[in-house]
Amino acid sequence: MLPALYTLDQRGRPQRNPDYLESAQVVETEPKQVVLYKLNQQAVWSDGREIGAPDFVAQWRALSGRDTAYWTARNSGYERIEKIERGKNDLEVRVTFAKPYADWQSLFTPSTRSG
């Protein structure tokens, strides 16, 4: 129901969830931090629609604290995102941060983590 790009191991460290995420890594640090997410082709919503960049954008808009239509108790990290774009195909998502964010793995996944 709620896709989790990362799960936490016994020590509380994020582990990539291969059901949704093929890979994710920081691909640029200058002039901005850019994280490239490569999604699993089999990762789809219950209606069969692929998970992709529009879903990342929707979550960013809802959790950034900028849109008063949404209330969030915590926007850590989301407020640092400058833009989200489709990568070279529908399974790639590029997230550009206005300011570096070390805990980027905690974003775009339902979580009980605090930061």
Side-chain angles (χ1 to χ4, degrees):
M1 186 147 101
L2 292 174
L5 300 182
Y6 285 88
T7 57
L8 299 179
D9 67 12
Q10 301 90 335
R11 294 183 178 170
R13 295 177 300 199
Q15 300 297 310
R16 179 182 58 86
N17 181 347
D19 291 339
Y20 296 101
L21 194 57
E22 293 287 333
S23 66
Q25 60 184 350
V26 175
V27 294
E28 295 176 31
T29 56
E30 293 295 331
K32 308 275 182 161
Q33 177 181 339
V34 177
V35 176
L36 180 64
Y37 294 86
K38 293 185 180 182
L39 304 171
N40 182 332
Q41 186 174 4
Q42 306 302 314
V44 296
W45 293 103
S46 58
D47 65 1
R49 186 178 56 84
E50 282 185 342
I51 296 171
D55 302 302
F56 279 67
V57 170
Q59 187 165 353
W60 167 45
R61 285 190 177 142
L63 297 177
S64 69
R66 295 180 191 150
D67 189 335
T68 58
Y70 302 96
W71 181 86
T72 178
R74 178 180 177 265
N75 67 352
S76 293
Y78 293 102
E79 84 285 0
R80 292 191 186 194
I81 294 173
E82 182 175 287
K83 64 182 175 179
I84 298 176
E85 307 167 288
R86 178 185 179 270
K88 67 181 179 183
N89 59 50
D90 289 339
L91 296 175
E92 288 189 3
V93 180
R94 288 178 58 90
V95 177
T96 302
F97 291 82
K99 295 180 182 178
Y101 189 62
D103 196 23
W104 58 268
Q105 291 171 318
S106 68
L107 303 176
F108 304 108
T109 193
S111 174
T112 57
R113 295 176 68 185
S114 61

